[in-house]
Amino acid sequence: MRDRAKSLWCEVWRDLVCLRTPNRGPVVAARTARVSPSRADVLDAHGAELRRIERDLHDGAQAGLVAVAMRLGVARDLLGAQHPVVAELLREALEGAEEVMTELRDVVRAGYPPILADRGLAGAVDAVAARTGVTTDVRLGELGRLPAAVEAAAYFVVAETLANTTKYSRARRARVGLTRRDGTLVVEVADDGVGGADERNGTGIVGIRRRVAALDGRVAITSPIGGPTVVTVELPCAS
């Protein structure tokens, strides 16, 4: 799967080089017609790889760590006060295993959140909106089939922006909208808070920009002092 994605990217790169050569009229037309399908294939390959990694981490490494932690806990309880030094070492090992499991879950969620596999993008967005600290209206258009990488990026944008809304905006209401327009997924998150969002202050906006840029998407943020704040993201999702 990775080899397929690599070869597709090489093909797209050759196409882009052709766009810069002289007398490229007929070549451009032929090459450009192939860029969108190639891009879609790459996104599909990337999405399949994300799902495979998530599944392997969840079913393999994470399950193994849970088993190790359970055995450490049993061993600690059995030794009890009879071997305090060994019991303390087991306690430290158990805490270390639990920390690693927490880090592993964070890695899985950052790559392809399990909730996307369980509920799809619409259900995942509804869930994150329901548990945010601000009353949030969700409006979803007809999204159709989306590449897994695009779904993951859209979910990350919504989750991170709503987290910022809860922490910083002092908003009473927020809204989330997802629509698909001409091969582009448009994600908009807005709130009626105090505005003044500044990505230099560690608000997560830099992370949003990086995640979106990796898919050749665009981010637009308006947040004047006094509000409102509107974050608009466009993610190419041609299929």
Side-chain angles (χ1 to χ4, degrees), residues 28-234:
V28 168
R31 294 282 189 177
T32 303
R34 294 165 51 195
V35 170
S36 292
S38 297
R39 178 187 178 83
D41 287 344
V42 170
L43 287 176
D44 285 342
H46 183 213
E49 191 70 6
L50 282 177
R51 292 189 189 96
R52 182 192 66 77
I53 292 171
E54 186 273 330
R55 185 171 59 251
D56 289 349
L57 288 175
H58 184 273
D59 297 341
Q62 189 169 317
L65 281 171
V66 170
V68 169
M70 291 178 63
R71 292 189 180 97
L72 287 172
V74 170
R76 181 197 58 188
D77 293 341
L78 288 175
L79 287 170
Q82 295 159 342
H83 301 280
V85 175
V86 176
E88 177 62 18
L89 290 173
L90 287 171
R91 183 191 65 78
E92 293 176 358
L94 178 59
E95 290 180 353
E98 291 172 346
E99 289 176 1
V100 171
M101 282 190 288
T102 299
E103 293 174 358
L104 184 58
R105 282 193 291 269
D106 290 341
V107 169
V108 171
R109 293 190 184 102
Y112 189 76
I115 193 171
L116 286 175
D118 294 339
R119 302 190 186 184
L121 180 58
V125 168
D126 281 335
V128 75
R131 65 174 180 259
T132 194
V134 178
T135 301
T136 303
D137 299 321
V138 178
R139 299 177 184 178
L140 303 176
E142 182 57 47
L143 303 180
R145 177 182 176 276
L146 294 170
V150 173
E151 286 187 337
Y155 176 79
F156 177 83
V157 168
V158 172
E160 187 67 26
T161 305
L162 287 179
N164 290 342
T165 297
T166 301
K167 291 178 185 177
Y168 306 114
S169 73
R170 302 205 295 272
R172 291 185 296 178
R173 299 192 68 87
R175 73 175 188 275
V176 176
L178 279 79
T179 57
R180 188 169 183 167
R181 304 172 189 162
D182 299 326
T184 299
L185 178 66
V186 181
V187 182
E188 184 176 278
V189 184
D191 67 64
D192 63 358
V194 296
D198 187 349
E199 56 192 283
R200 295 171 297 180
N201 293 333
T203 57
I205 298 175
V206 172
I208 290 173
R209 289 193 183 278
R210 288 174 179 168
R211 179 71 71 108
V212 173
L215 297 176
D216 292 336
R218 296 191 299 176
V219 179
I221 300 173
T222 60
S223 185
I225 300 299
T229 295
V230 181
V231 177
T232 304
V233 168
E234 297 180 357

